[in-house]
Amino acid sequence: MAAATMIEYDEASPAVRAVFDDIKASRNVLDVNNFWKYLARDPALLQRTWESVKQVMAPGALDPLTKEMIYLAVSVTNGCAYCIASHTAAARKAGMTEEMFGEVMAVTGMANETNRLANGYRVPIDPMFD
Amino acid sequence: MAAATMIEYDEASPAVRAVFDDIKASRNVLDVNNFWKYLARDPALLQRTWESVKQVMAPGALDPLTKEMIYLAVSVTNGCAYCIASHTAAARKAGMTEEMFGEVMAVTGMANETNRLANGYRVPIDPMFD
Amino acid sequence: MAAATMIEYDEASPAVRAVFDDIKASRNVLDVNNFWKYLARDPALLQRTWESVKQVMAPGALDPLTKEMIYLAVSVTNGCAYCIASHTAAARKAGMTEEMFGEVMAVTGMANETNRLANGYRVPIDPMFD
Amino acid sequence: MAAATMIEYDEASPAVRAVFDDIKASRNVLDVNNFWKYLARDPALLQRTWESVKQVMAPGALDPLTKEMIYLAVSVTNGCAYCIASHTAAARKAGMTEEMFGEVMAVTGMANETNRLANGYRVPIDPMFD
Amino acid sequence: MAAATMIEYDEASPAVRAVFDDIKASRNVLDVNNFWKYLARDPALLQRTWESVKQVMAPGALDPLTKEMIYLAVSVTNGCAYCIASHTAAARKAGMTEEMFGEVMAVTGMANETNRLANGYRVPIDPMFD
Amino acid sequence: MAAATMIEYDEASPAVRAVFDDIKASRNVLDVNNFWKYLARDPALLQRTWESVKQVMAPGALDPLTKEMIYLAVSVTNGCAYCIASHTAAARKAGMTEEMFGEVMAVTGMANETNRLANGYRVPIDPMFD
């Protein structure tokens, strides 16, 4: 018994199909990613997650490319292999060049290093930052 | 006996002073943050870390504001209180508005959530992402 | 040279066999999971870990199903692929339905998101919680 | 300049007040926690987060106490001090006894330990778990 | 109501006192750390944790100083403030010099950085490491 | 389009070859690991990372074996599969025996457990540790 199985469009309920249709229309793609096909096992979770992602990733004070690079940096920090693969692809689609990718990785690596140096040296917060 | 003590400019060795001077000149500030005063206990670590940070955070394919927001998103993900305080300040200095801050937080929160959904549902990587 | 190799019952020492026998009897299974076969390389670690797991996961103020779902939520948060697979199976065996699984995932995802919002907004603890 | 400031009911916009009113009514409390007063700086984030939390934490296949204990276990794993304080309080309000608290901690600690043993010994997933 | 209260020797049950006595004798100290006074709320957890720590931290193939430095590196990686403070003290008591402390921090920081570079660049494991 | 591709010596620029040559000479190996072949996509990152690793991992107050075991403990804590594989190999090459490996794992597991117990019980730092 698999811990998780995927729901394809053809076998999906009308509620799930409605979300899939909105994802495909919003992103102008022919099919949704595996992530959404797995979440479809729980239609309420699927819908809530998609509505939140759509709202959070829409252009705002930050452009979609910047948002995707932040998403990637978090996914790399957490070591989520699926998320690193899918958000690297999404960031590239949004315009991330090879040079930008390298700089996202360099900043992410450096932040993870200095986060631990600040922890280990038990650095108190400067009064001007409080 | 404190686990860590801070080294001020007046008591610093010439090697440490040289790094402090470069930080102050590069950032146009009157004094360095506590972070550097603690790292100064290990002059080789201080110099290597500063040289790396200076190189990584310099303008490149990404502008300094974008880099600071990525730094902040990683620090928030790791829960490093010192780093969150100092890099929120640095990002604001580089131009992060209240709206941008809100969007960095929203993306960081969402990425941390969907990273776990992808883990828990054990979603296999889509062939097109590999 | 493999970093880790598995020890099967037939090649195990009497001390390791005694632990394997107790696992099989306690769980009413024909063979132990790979996890125990790897830990068997260090018999003291094997025995201590099994005794602790047996004590911690026994019915108490919380029933075994609730404990398995908490174990799963932690494993998903940490991104441990082996642990997610094995504790999803264990939770299902203890009675976790598909609906319960979906709710464990939803709570785990939400907690990971709001943990970061609390970090990033630097929310001070309410006096009544202290 | 504080990195984050709190918005009280008296100074809140109608949109924020509507969310605060719903939180107070749903939880039968006189005031909202600091968490919501900080998120109120971004009304869209406030509303989306509250709607999601309300939906996720509602009674379902799992009762509210079980959900709060899972929330607590994740917060402890991530080391979020604010979240540990607030969700310990919420779990106690939902019925968590001292004995239950001790068992949540014991399971959370054990899971964090065995997650790393599985990582370090590089244990391959048993075929029956896939 | 505090989420956690401390149990002092004078108010402890005989079972808790027996563990406290063993900690004091084993470590040659006049009183136990706060950590043990909090765990004392759950005598079974207290005893199991102390027995495990005593066994794991005893001299073996690795000396106590090396073990304490590894403990510190993990605590710094996880950002556990209490654990960083207490294990820095324990490592110093076991012989960690200022130079050794600096090197533990440098290695810990570097490992946290390169862990993320390996994640982000999605580096496949070299065949010779498998 | 792969998210990351590897650069072999034959196709590398002179700057990348110089780093590869230094790695091979320093470590007395015939070829560099995949990690370096991926970082080679960003020559500045490659050079900075190698210079830092070389400096940090050189014999100092701590010997190379101790440093490699700390590196391994951090990688296990973070769940970085590539890093666990490569640093287990590096530690063995530096002299880590099977017994030492078992003790590194035991300490790493225990630290991850007690880090969470300290978080969950909200243990305040003992005055003597501050």
Side-chain angles (χ1 to χ4, degrees):
Chain A
M1 176 194 60
T5 44
M6 202 151 84
I7 293 181
E8 295 286 355
Y9 192 89
D10 287 348
E11 53 185 332
S13 68
V16 166
R17 282 192 185 186
V19 176
F20 282 12
D21 285 337
D22 192 39
I23 296 174
K24 292 192 281 187
S26 300
R27 297 187 161 174
N28 194 24
V29 289
L30 292 174
D31 196 8
V32 304
N33 297 345
N34 284 349
F35 180 71
W36 305 110
K37 294 179 184 176
Y38 275 75
L39 290 201
R41 290 165 58 198
D42 181 341
L45 176 64
L46 173 70
Q47 181 170 0
R48 193 181 60 248
T49 305
W50 166 243
E51 292 298 335
S52 295
V53 166
K54 190 167 60 167
Q55 186 178 345
V56 168
M57 300 305 281
L62 300 180
D63 59 278
L65 170 57
T66 299
K67 290 183 172 185
E68 281 294 348
M69 291 189 298
I70 292 171
Y71 220 116
L72 177 57
V74 170
S75 302
V76 165
T77 297
N78 287 329
C80 174
Y82 182 82
C83 315
I84 293 168
S86 61
H87 286 279
T88 298
R92 287 188 189 282
K93 194 174 164 188
M96 182 177 71
T97 63
E98 178 71 6
E99 286 69 28
M100 289 173 178
F101 171 77
E103 296 187 13
V104 174
M105 291 305 108
V107 174
T108 301
M110 185 62 47
N112 272 290
E113 180 177 25
T114 59
N115 280 193
R116 271 62 183 210
L117 294 177
N119 287 344
Y121 278 90
R122 304 169 61 194
V123 185
I125 297 180
D126 302 69
M128 68 179 171
F129 295 154
D130 252 344
Chain B
M1 176 194 59
T5 42
M6 202 151 84
I7 293 180
E8 295 287 354
Y9 192 88
D10 288 348
E11 53 185 332
S13 69
V16 166
R17 283 190 184 187
V19 175
F20 281 12
D21 285 337
D22 192 38
I23 296 174
K24 291 193 282 186
S26 300
R27 295 186 165 177
N28 194 24
V29 289
L30 292 174
D31 196 7
V32 304
N33 297 345
N34 285 349
F35 180 71
W36 305 110
K37 294 179 183 176
Y38 276 76
L39 290 201
R41 290 165 58 198
D42 182 341
L45 176 64
L46 173 70
Q47 180 169 1
R48 192 180 61 248
T49 305
W50 166 244
E51 292 297 335
S52 294
V53 166
K54 190 167 61 166
Q55 186 178 347
V56 167
M57 300 305 282
L62 300 179
D63 59 276
L65 171 57
T66 300
K67 289 183 172 185
E68 281 294 349
M69 292 188 297
I70 291 171
Y71 219 115
L72 177 57
V74 170
S75 302
V76 165
T77 297
N78 286 329
C80 174
Y82 181 83
C83 315
I84 293 169
S86 62
H87 285 281
T88 298
R92 287 188 190 281
K93 193 173 165 188
M96 181 177 70
T97 63
E98 178 71 5
E99 287 68 29
M100 288 172 178
F101 171 76
E103 297 187 14
V104 174
M105 292 304 107
V107 174
T108 301
M110 186 60 47
N112 272 289
E113 180 177 26
T114 58
N115 280 192
R116 272 60 183 210
L117 294 176
N119 287 345
Y121 277 89
R122 303 169 63 192
V123 185
I125 297 181
D126 303 69
M128 68 178 170
F129 296 153
D130 251 345
Chain C
M1 178 193 60
T5 44
M6 203 151 83
I7 292 180
E8 295 287 356
Y9 191 88
D10 287 348
E11 54 185 330
S13 67
V16 166
R17 282 191 185 187
V19 176
F20 282 12
D21 285 336
D22 192 39
I23 296 173
K24 291 192 283 187
S26 300
R27 297 189 163 173
N28 194 23
V29 289
L30 293 174
D31 196 8
V32 304
N33 298 344
N34 285 348
F35 180 70
W36 306 110
K37 294 180 183 175
Y38 276 75
L39 290 201
R41 290 164 58 197
D42 181 342
L45 176 65
L46 173 71
Q47 181 170 0
R48 193 181 60 247
T49 305
W50 166 243
E51 291 298 335
S52 294
V53 166
K54 191 167 58 166
Q55 186 178 346
V56 168
M57 300 306 280
L62 300 179
D63 58 277
L65 171 58
T66 299
K67 290 183 172 186
E68 281 293 348
M69 291 189 297
I70 291 171
Y71 220 116
L72 177 57
V74 170
S75 301
V76 164
T77 297
N78 286 331
C80 174
Y82 181 83
C83 315
I84 293 168
S86 61
H87 286 279
T88 297
R92 288 188 189 281
K93 193 174 166 189
M96 182 177 71
T97 64
E98 178 72 5
E99 286 69 31
M100 289 173 178
F101 171 76
E103 296 187 14
V104 175
M105 292 303 108
V107 174
T108 301
M110 185 61 48
N112 272 290
E113 179 177 25
T114 59
N115 279 194
R116 272 63 184 209
L117 294 177
N119 287 344
Y121 278 89
R122 304 168 62 194
V123 185
I125 296 180
D126 302 69
M128 68 178 170
F129 296 153
D130 252 346
Chain D
M1 175 195 59
T5 43
M6 203 151 82
I7 292 180
E8 295 287 354
Y9 192 88
D10 288 347
E11 53 186 332
S13 67
V16 166
R17 282 190 184 187
V19 176
F20 281 11
D21 285 337
D22 192 39
I23 296 174
K24 291 193 281 187
S26 300
R27 296 186 165 176
N28 194 25
V29 289
L30 292 175
D31 196 8
V32 304
N33 298 344
N34 285 349
F35 180 71
W36 305 110
K37 294 180 184 176
Y38 275 76
L39 290 201
R41 291 165 58 198
D42 182 341
L45 176 65
L46 173 71
Q47 181 169 1
R48 192 180 62 247
T49 306
W50 166 244
E51 291 298 335
S52 294
V53 165
K54 190 167 59 166
Q55 186 177 347
V56 168
M57 299 306 281
L62 300 179
D63 59 276
L65 170 57
T66 300
K67 290 183 172 185
E68 281 293 349
M69 292 189 297
I70 292 171
Y71 220 115
L72 177 57
V74 170
S75 301
V76 165
T77 298
N78 286 330
C80 174
Y82 181 83
C83 315
I84 293 168
S86 61
H87 285 280
T88 297
R92 287 189 189 280
K93 193 174 165 187
M96 181 177 71
T97 64
E98 178 73 5
E99 287 68 31
M100 289 173 178
F101 171 77
E103 296 187 14
V104 175
M105 290 306 106
V107 174
T108 301
M110 186 61 46
N112 272 289
E113 179 176 26
T114 59
N115 280 193
R116 272 61 184 210
L117 293 177
N119 287 344
Y121 277 89
R122 303 169 63 192
V123 185
I125 297 180
D126 301 69
M128 67 178 170
F129 296 153
D130 252 345
Chain E
M1 180 193 57
T5 43
M6 204 150 83
I7 293 181
E8 296 286 355
Y9 191 88
D10 287 348
E11 53 186 331
S13 68
V16 166
R17 282 190 185 187
V19 177
F20 282 12
D21 285 336
D22 192 38
I23 296 174
K24 290 193 282 187
S26 301
R27 296 187 165 176
N28 194 24
V29 289
L30 292 174
D31 196 7
V32 304
N33 298 344
N34 285 349
F35 180 70
W36 305 109
K37 295 180 183 174
Y38 275 75
L39 289 201
R41 291 165 57 198
D42 182 342
L45 176 65
L46 173 70
Q47 180 169 1
R48 193 180 62 246
T49 305
W50 166 244
E51 291 298 335
S52 294
V53 165
K54 190 167 59 166
Q55 186 177 347
V56 168
M57 300 305 282
L62 301 179
D63 59 277
L65 170 57
T66 299
K67 290 183 172 186
E68 281 293 350
M69 292 189 297
I70 291 171
Y71 219 115
L72 176 58
V74 170
S75 302
V76 164
T77 297
N78 286 330
C80 174
Y82 181 83
C83 316
I84 293 168
S86 61
H87 285 281
T88 297
R92 287 189 189 281
K93 193 174 165 188
M96 182 177 71
T97 64
E98 178 72 7
E99 287 67 31
M100 289 173 178
F101 171 76
E103 296 187 14
V104 175
M105 291 305 107
V107 173
T108 301
M110 185 61 47
N112 272 289
E113 179 176 27
T114 59
N115 280 193
R116 272 61 183 210
L117 294 177
N119 287 343
Y121 278 89
R122 304 169 62 192
V123 185
I125 297 180
D126 302 69
M128 67 178 171
F129 296 153
D130 252 345
Chain F
M1 176 194 60
T5 42
M6 203 152 84
I7 293 181
E8 296 287 354
Y9 192 89
D10 288 348
E11 52 185 333
S13 68
V16 166
R17 284 190 183 187
V19 176
F20 281 12
D21 284 337
D22 192 39
I23 296 174
K24 291 192 282 186
S26 300
R27 297 186 163 176
N28 194 23
V29 290
L30 293 174
D31 196 8
V32 303
N33 297 345
N34 285 349
F35 180 71
W36 305 110
K37 294 180 183 176
Y38 276 76
L39 290 201
R41 290 165 58 199
D42 181 341
L45 176 65
L46 173 70
Q47 180 170 1
R48 193 181 61 247
T49 305
W50 166 243
E51 292 298 336
S52 294
V53 166
K54 190 167 59 166
Q55 184 178 348
V56 168
M57 300 305 282
L62 300 179
D63 59 276
L65 170 58
T66 299
K67 291 183 171 185
E68 280 294 349
M69 291 189 297
I70 292 172
Y71 219 115
L72 177 57
V74 171
S75 301
V76 165
T77 297
N78 287 329
C80 174
Y82 181 82
C83 316
I84 293 168
S86 61
H87 286 279
T88 297
R92 287 189 189 281
K93 193 174 165 186
M96 181 177 71
T97 64
E98 178 70 6
E99 287 68 30
M100 289 172 178
F101 170 77
E103 296 188 12
V104 175
M105 291 305 107
V107 174
T108 301
M110 186 61 48
N112 272 289
E113 180 178 25
T114 59
N115 281 192
R116 272 61 183 209
L117 294 177
N119 287 344
Y121 277 89
R122 303 168 62 193
V123 185
I125 297 180
D126 302 69
M128 67 178 171
F129 296 153
D130 251 345

